[in-house]
Amino acid sequence: MRKIVFPTDFSENAFNALQYAAELLKYETCEFFLLHAYADEVYNDEKVLNRSLMDELKEKVLSHAEIKLEETLKKIRKISPNPHHTYHKVASFGALVDEVNDLVDSENADLCIMGTRGKSDDRNINFGTNTLLVMKYVQCPVLGIPAGYKYNTPRNILFPTNFLVPYQRRELKLVSEIARVFGSEIHSLYISKYPVESFRQKDNLNFLKEQFHNIKFQTHQVDGADKVSTIMGFIEKQEIDILVLVNSRHSELENILFEGTLDKISLNPKIPLLVLQNFNRESV
């Protein structure tokens, strides 16, 4: 049973991401937790002048959220009537990142999936503030689906790495299982003019190979000064369907890769982005 946390603001982009999720996980038994965190909707309402008005607004927003969650649930069941998928509705008065993390912890969730843009649908950016916050601070893998992206079987998965971080087994297991289901090929991309020489790098490379055993796995090395353009070029050349990045707070180089790459790729992402969190969590 795979458990998926799905934050939604009831936008078209959010539902598009839910459709992608249902298709990507169509062969798996899954529990989806449709989550709407609505604290900002209450606190940002300038008409609220006292506590009684706030309490009244909270009840109104909650009632609306429950209606919209039910509508979303009926819509996805109609489009994707998969008997292996069950859905739960969760409306919470709290900050999005906190509510997602609480749900991830309480359910020991495997993955968080969401659209990269919400209601604002700013065409000049492709990663909204909420998505960036979830990707950086939620302690489980986060899969972001670009606005308007239609499901495409993930035949090629790109995993840029400098082999300096000892990855979490649970995180890599998610990638390997996706690849195994669809017969995908995982491409490890090492961007450097120097070979993999240190014992740490060699050990981490061997660990990756062990986790991706019985899966098509290729290692590539490219000498590129600009990581972003190198990655984007590789995506086009190899027809990549999912890009995997790692969020680690313990490695300066991985932080540079995550922070810089994510911010710049947000200008024009064309494929889903899976962010792995390099934290110790309970193993499955």
Side-chain angles (χ1 to χ4, degrees), residues 3-67:
K3 295 189 176 184
I4 313 298
V5 173
F6 186 86
T8 178
D9 59 0
F10 310 122
S11 64
E12 182 179 335
N13 291 326
F15 190 77
N16 180 68
L18 183 57
Q19 285 184 273
Y20 178 94
E23 188 68 20
L24 180 70
L25 301 169
K26 60 187 174 184
Y27 300 119
E28 299 192 47
T29 301
C30 298
E31 276 189 275
F32 288 87
F33 295 85
L34 306 185
L35 169 68
H36 181 68
Y38 60 90
D40 286 347
E41 295 173 56
V42 176
Y43 290 135
N44 293 341
D45 192 319
E46 297 179 354
K47 297 190 292 292
V48 175
L49 302 176
N50 56 55
R51 178 61 62 179
S52 62
L53 285 176
M54 176 174 284
D55 291 340
E56 184 178 320
L57 179 60
K58 284 171 66 174
E59 290 183 12
K60 182 179 179 181
V61 173
L62 173 58
S63 177
H64 177 71
E66 290 174 339
I67 291 171

Side-chain angles (χ1 to χ4, degrees), residues 61-165:
V61 173
L62 173 58
S63 177
H64 177 71
E66 290 174 339
I67 291 171
K68 297 297 290 184
L69 284 169
E70 182 63 28
E71 289 177 354
T72 301
L73 191 149
K74 289 180 179 178
K75 189 176 178 182
I76 191 61
R77 281 177 171 166
K78 183 177 180 180
I79 293 174
S80 180
N82 192 328
H84 300 294
H85 290 176
T86 58
Y87 296 89
H88 306 277
K89 300 170 292 181
V90 183
S92 297
F93 179 72
L96 178 62
V97 172
D98 292 339
E99 296 304 319
V100 173
N101 262 328
D102 286 347
L103 199 49
V104 165
D105 289 340
S106 65
E107 296 296 336
N108 195 22
D110 302 287
L111 178 64
C112 174
I113 303 178
M114 65 190 301
T116 57
R117 287 205 305 251
K119 285 183 177 178
S120 61
D121 199 25
D122 188 340
R123 303 291 172 170
N124 295 315
I125 62 171
N126 278 305
F127 283 93
T129 302
N130 284 334
T131 308
L132 287 173
L133 288 173
V134 170
M135 286 181 167
K136 291 181 181 181
Y137 299 117
V138 166
Q139 296 188 33
C140 81
V142 179
L143 179 61
I145 312 303
Y149 184 86
K150 299 306 177 185
Y151 175 79
N152 189 42
T153 301
R155 300 297 185 193
N156 290 287
I157 299 172
L158 177 58
F159 192 163
T161 177
N162 56 22
F163 302 115
L164 290 174
V165 172

